Amino acid sequence: MKNKRNHIWLALFIIAAFVLFAFFGCGDDLKGVRDMRFGIDIRGGVEAVFEPAGVKETPPASELEAARNVMESRLDAKNITDREVTVDKKEGHIIVRFPWKSDEKEFDPESAISELGETAKLTFRDPDGKILIEGQNVKNSQPVKNTETGGYEVQLSFDGKGTKEFAEATGALTGRQLQIYMDDRLISAPVVQQQITGGEAVINGMDSIDAARALSEKINAGALPFSMETTNYNTISPALGNNALRAMVTAAAVAFVLICIFMIVSYRLPGVISCLTLIFQMSLQILALSLPQYTLTLPGIAGLILSAGMAVDANIIISERIQEELSRGTGVRLAVKNGYKNAFSSVLDGNVTTAAVALILMIFGSGTMLSFGYTLFTGVVINLLAGVWMSRFMLTSAVRYHVCSREQMFRRKKEQRPLHFAAGRRKIYVFTAVVLLTGAAVSGANGIRLDTQFTGGAILRYTYTGEADTKQAGAAVEKLVKRPVSTQITEDPLTGQKKLILTLAGNKGIAPDEQKKVLEALGQDKEAAYTLSETSVVEPYIGAKALKNSAAAVGLSSLFIVLYVWIRFSALSGLSAGITAVIALLHDAAIVLFVFGIGKIPVNDAFVAVTLTIIGYSINDTIVLYDRIRENLARGGRKKEGLCRLVDRSITETIGRSVKTAFTTALCAAVVLVFACVYDIGSIKVFALPLLAGVISGCYSSVCIAGPLWVTWKEFRERRTKK
């Protein structure tokens, strides 16, 4: 478009179109916010107990775990991330809970349940997709280490028919790929090096023993001799209900209005443009969830509200740069142009590191971690698209109008007194150490409690008559058993029989005399009469494997951050900058953990989500400081003022952005926390409180730890070199 004055009107049309698309959708296949797939906590769902079909004896734990992995993979493939899949080893059962589909008014879960329980179909195919061998002909698979090469492999053995078919397949595909599929998902594609006739084969090229073990488990799952079946299922009522959903929607509206007021007051015209781009960003974020039908839970809604605070980050960086240009006497149009140009490296580096963390989480994750990784990644991409491109498109167009090109439509950056964080870093180190030691001591005294997701627990099912008060029942039983307790109501769709389900956290069952006391505690509710129907002891549905994957994801994310900062910030002796950035992140993760300990909040999947959110937020903040230090070093600042003063000047120049970004993000977390307290939404309170503390910690660590610690490192190395 030649007339750039009209760009803003085109942008407003695009924003309006996407807002309508996000709200109403477009046809049956392109769903909007009204057709979101909501989680069990909001809309309810289905509970089914699966047991092996045609098997007399209880299957071994390894086969049950393999079957569980297949079910989780199938739920992931359907973007159902809000689910619970637990194993009862004693009875040989697998218990699955998952939410309703968004577009089914009269939900019939039988087909979904049937599909979940079918034996996983493992197939070996040629590059054209033709099936050559089926998984039922694989007798066994196990991970091994090649003693000659030191590499990890998966060893396969076939039955008679499989041996013959495998020999024919490898003979025909020598030098080409033999593709291995689980259902319709490619899980491996090794290149055939020679024909194999002995019924034994290996898949090499595994990165680690964990990768080999994971592939072996999938192959064994595909070769299971039994399928899982369920004779009945129950519908699950929403754990929180419509009031909680309305509360979060209201919180979102309040948070959005407050952010817009803050941005307009702080930056005037750029603030108005930021609000318009924020509407665009949130529309795209909603579409990124609604189109592929990712399950949205109440913590997910809280995460969306939080992303509104983080989404203005790029615009704050840009607006601060524009203010600096105006303070130097630059004209409005040139100041806008230079502001975007000078801010781009900070925005790019911060978003690249965050996007890498998100991709690693998606690779290693399942369930909550996969959902979080996906939301984080799409948010980063949208932030770059809308936060930089769309705002630039509109602001450069707006300033071509005389009324918008006046300096009164902007704010100049005020002269700030120099801050001395690096110079006074010893006091900061002492204060930080006192806070961490106090948090560790109080948390240790209270004890870090793990919730059911990590420990498993005992499940007690009670039939009842009357009206059950789940909140009162959970509180009474938790006081009695001294274990975290969650409650749920289910209903048999055929008989209408309702049941109260109590899940007691802990890797132990419950004794008969304790069951009797629990029933007596429930009997204090005069509005309902309870009868114990069954008990079971289940494994954690966020088990050891998921915890290991979470730790691996965080470890790889930290390694990537170190390497990326090392390469991109070579002017800062990048390795030291990367390591000090990770130390700052570890500080933030510790603060989040201590909030759980001090608040006596059982550690659950909310801890994982909050920690990962803060890591993404904090590294972005630190990158902005490093970018300014690099810029000042390039201008010869170290020779003029020394390293310590240069870092303090860089902190002084960027602290406005750090505090304002922290304020908008913390504002959203605080709004969510207030509404959660007013409406007594427990699952949101235990999410929002640590998140609020983590945001404050992230700002503190970026300003007060990362920069000063880097100065300490550099000065120590220089003293060592001079000796």
Side-chain angles (χ1 to χ4, degrees):
M1 186 181 292
K2 292 184 179 180
N3 188 356
K4 294 184 178 181
R5 286 163 57 96
N6 293 332
H7 283 184
I8 190 168
W9 305 110
L10 175 61
L12 291 174
F13 174 78
I14 293 172
I15 291 171
F18 272 93
V19 169
L20 292 174
F21 185 19
F23 187 78
F24 294 104
C26 185
D28 295 333
D29 296 327
L30 301 177
K31 302 179 186 300
V33 67
R34 298 186 304 169
D35 293 317
M36 279 276 197
R37 180 168 198 155
F38 290 107
I40 297 173
D41 53 358
I42 298 174
R43 195 175 175 209
V46 179
E47 179 192 67
V49 180
F50 291 89
E51 55 187 61
V55 178
K56 295 182 180 179
E57 297 181 355
T58 302
S62 60
E63 291 187 352
L64 287 170
E65 187 63 29
R68 164 182 160 167
N69 288 339
V70 172
M71 289 183 171
E72 293 230 316
S73 296
R74 289 176 170 175
L75 289 166
D76 280 341
K78 293 178 178 295
N79 296 328
I80 302 175
T81 52
D82 177 40
R83 79 299 178 103
E84 301 173 17
V85 184
T86 54
V87 176
D88 183 348
K89 291 181 179 178
K90 183 178 179 181
E91 300 295 332
H93 294 165
I94 297 179
I95 303 168
V96 182
R97 295 174 181 173
F98 59 93
W100 308 100
K101 287 186 68 176
S102 69
D103 57 348
E104 295 193 90
K105 304 299 185 289
E106 296 180 0
F107 185 65
D108 178 12
E110 291 183 4
S111 59
I113 290 173
S114 175
E115 184 180 343
L116 278 178
E118 289 177 352
T119 304
K121 189 173 180 60
L122 179 78
T123 54
F124 296 76
R125 309 180 188 183
D126 64 19
D128 296 325
K130 180 182 178 182
I131 296 176
L132 305 176
I133 313 160
E134 294 190 354
Q136 62 189 16
N137 300 121
V138 178
K139 286 198 302 185
N140 187 44
S141 157
Q142 60 183 1
V144 295
K145 185 174 183 179
N146 189 310
T147 54
E148 295 181 2
T149 65
Y152 297 102
E153 302 172 339
V154 175
Q155 192 175 68
L156 305 175
S157 61
F158 296 89
D159 60 15
K161 181 181 179 183
T163 299
K164 180 181 177 181
E165 291 178 342
F166 194 69
E168 293 174 355
T170 52
L173 294 175
T174 301
R176 301 171 65 196
Q177 285 185 338
L178 177 63
Q179 299 180 340
I180 306 174
Y181 280 81
M182 180 71 71
D183 294 327
D184 291 321
R185 191 161 70 95
L186 181 68
I187 61 173
S188 183
V191 175
V192 179
Q193 299 176 358
Q194 62 184 24
Q195 185 178 24
I196 302 172
T197 58
E200 301 282 341
V202 295
I203 302 173
N204 52 29
M206 301 290 106
D207 296 331
S208 64
I209 187 62
D210 288 335
R213 185 179 293 113
L215 179 57
S216 176
E217 286 177 357
K218 290 176 181 177
I219 291 173
N220 284 330
L224 279 177
F226 57 82
S227 61
M228 304 294 289
E229 65 177 7
T230 181
T231 55
N232 60 73
Y233 61 87
N234 295 307
T235 61
I236 308 173
S237 64
L240 300 173
N242 291 328
N243 287 337
L245 178 58
R246 284 194 293 270
M248 287 299 98
V249 171
T250 306
V254 171
F256 177 81
V257 170
L258 291 177
I259 288 174
C260 287
I261 292 173
F262 174 78
M263 292 298 293
I264 293 171
V265 170
S266 298
Y267 300 113
R268 297 181 181 171
L269 178 61
V272 174
I273 298 297
S274 298
C275 296
L276 294 173
T277 56
L278 179 57
I279 295 172
F280 184 51
Q281 285 175 268
M282 296 309 295
S283 299
L284 292 176
Q285 188 81 53
I286 289 170
L287 287 171
L289 291 169
S290 64
L291 292 181
Q293 285 286 279
Y294 261 85
T295 309
L296 184 64
T297 63
L298 277 179
I301 295 174
L304 281 175
I305 298 172
L306 172 70
S307 69
M310 297 180 69
V312 297
D313 173 68
N315 286 287
I316 288 177
I317 296 174
I318 293 165
S319 299
E320 290 284 322
R321 286 287 194 170
I322 293 173
Q323 285 186 347
E324 290 177 12
E325 292 293 321
L326 291 172
S327 298
R328 298 189 185 109
T330 308
V332 168
R333 291 186 185 179
L334 185 58
V336 170
K337 181 181 178 181
N338 290 343
Y340 279 95
K341 179 182 176 181
N342 296 334
F344 184 74
S345 61
S346 294
V347 175
L348 179 65
D349 286 326
N351 280 277
V352 166
T353 51
T354 307
V357 171
L359 285 175
I360 291 170
L361 294 175
M362 291 174 68
I363 292 169
F364 281 86
S366 179
T368 302
M369 200 163 85
L370 174 63
S371 176
F372 176 82
Y374 173 80
T375 305
L376 182 61
F377 181 75
T378 54
V380 167
V381 173
I382 291 168
N383 192 30
L384 278 174
L385 173 64
V388 178
W389 176 78
M390 180 60 88
S391 66
R392 180 174 186 171
F393 191 73
M394 287 194 291
L395 188 55
T396 54
S397 172
V399 295
R400 291 180 178 274
Y401 290 90
H402 175 72
V403 68
C404 296
S405 62
R406 294 179 300 174
E407 273 203 34
Q408 291 87 337
M409 301 298 291
F410 296 79
R411 284 189 181 275
R412 287 177 177 266
K413 194 174 184 68
K414 295 180 180 179
E415 193 70 30
Q416 288 184 285
R417 286 169 33 186
L419 301 173
H420 303 289
F421 288 109
R425 57 188 181 275
R426 291 183 180 177
K427 295 179 181 179
I428 291 174
Y429 296 160
V430 171
F431 173 76
T432 303
V434 169
V435 170
L436 292 177
L437 290 173
T438 303
V442 177
S443 298
N446 289 344
I448 300 293
R449 297 193 302 164
L450 297 179
D451 211 342
T452 313
Q453 294 100 318
F454 294 116
T455 64
I459 296 180
L460 308 178
R461 288 179 171 82
Y462 297 86
T463 58
Y464 69 90
T465 56
E467 294 296 327
D469 187 333
T470 55
K471 184 177 179 180
Q472 179 180 324
V477 175
E478 186 166 324
K479 183 178 179 181
L480 174 67
V481 300
K482 309 299 183 186
R483 295 160 66 177
V485 176
S486 60
T487 61
Q488 188 75 58
I489 298 293
T490 68
E491 181 178 354
D492 188 314
L494 299 178
T495 64
Q497 176 65 64
K498 292 185 178 181
K499 290 183 181 180
L500 171 69
I501 299 179
L502 300 178
T503 304
L504 285 59
N507 53 3
K508 62 179 181 178
I510 181 168
D513 59 334
E514 199 170 18
Q515 291 181 28
K516 184 178 179 181
K517 292 179 181 178
V518 169
L519 187 59
E520 291 174 354
L522 292 175
Q524 297 175 7
D525 182 2
K526 303 303 181 182
E527 301 297 323
Y530 297 92
T531 303
L532 180 65
S533 61
E534 57 182 305
T535 64
S536 56
V537 179
V538 297
E539 298 292 296
Y541 62 85
I542 300 179
K545 182 178 177 181
L547 283 176
K548 187 185 295 183
N549 284 348
S550 299
V554 172
L556 282 177
S557 300
S558 301
L559 178 61
F560 175 84
I561 289 168
V562 171
L563 293 176
Y564 185 83
V565 173
W566 189 356
I567 295 169
R568 284 285 290 163
F569 293 88
S570 56
L572 279 69
S573 301
L575 177 61
S576 58
I579 292 175
T580 51
V582 170
I583 292 173
L585 297 182
L586 293 176
H587 164 273
D588 301 331
I591 292 296
V592 171
L593 178 62
F594 295 154
V595 171
F596 274 84
I598 294 171
K600 297 182 180 180
I601 304 170
V603 174
N604 53 17
D605 53 356
F607 170 75
V608 176
V610 171
T611 302
L612 297 175
T613 301
I614 297 307
I615 286 176
Y617 165 80
S618 184
I619 187 58
N620 201 331
D621 209 5
T622 303
I623 288 292
V624 172
L625 173 60
Y626 283 173
D627 183 70
R628 185 57 65 96
I629 294 173
R630 177 176 59 187
E631 184 179 316
N632 288 332
L633 283 171
R635 293 174 177 171
R638 184 172 184 181
K639 293 181 180 179
K640 298 177 183 177
E641 54 191 336
L643 186 64
C644 187
R645 288 187 178 180
L646 182 144
V647 170
D648 274 337
R649 180 160 65 87
S650 301
I651 292 174
T652 302
E653 291 171 351
T654 58
I655 195 169
R657 174 266 169 199
S658 298
V659 171
K660 287 175 182 176
T661 300
F663 176 78
T664 56
T665 310
L667 179 65
C668 290
V671 168
V672 171
L673 180 60
V674 168
F675 274 81
C677 291
V678 170
Y679 287 88
D680 195 22
I681 311 171
S683 65
I684 301 299
K685 283 191 284 188
V686 301
F687 176 85
L689 179 61
L691 188 60
L692 180 59
V695 168
I696 297 171
S697 171
C699 179
Y700 171 83
S701 68
S702 298
V703 173
C704 301
I705 296 179
L709 197 60
W710 178 74
V711 173
T712 301
W713 180 307
K714 289 289 293 179
E715 290 182 347
F716 173 76
R717 295 286 296 177
E718 289 173 358
R719 287 196 299 269
R720 289 282 300 271
T721 304
K722 291 178 181 179
K723 288 182 180 180

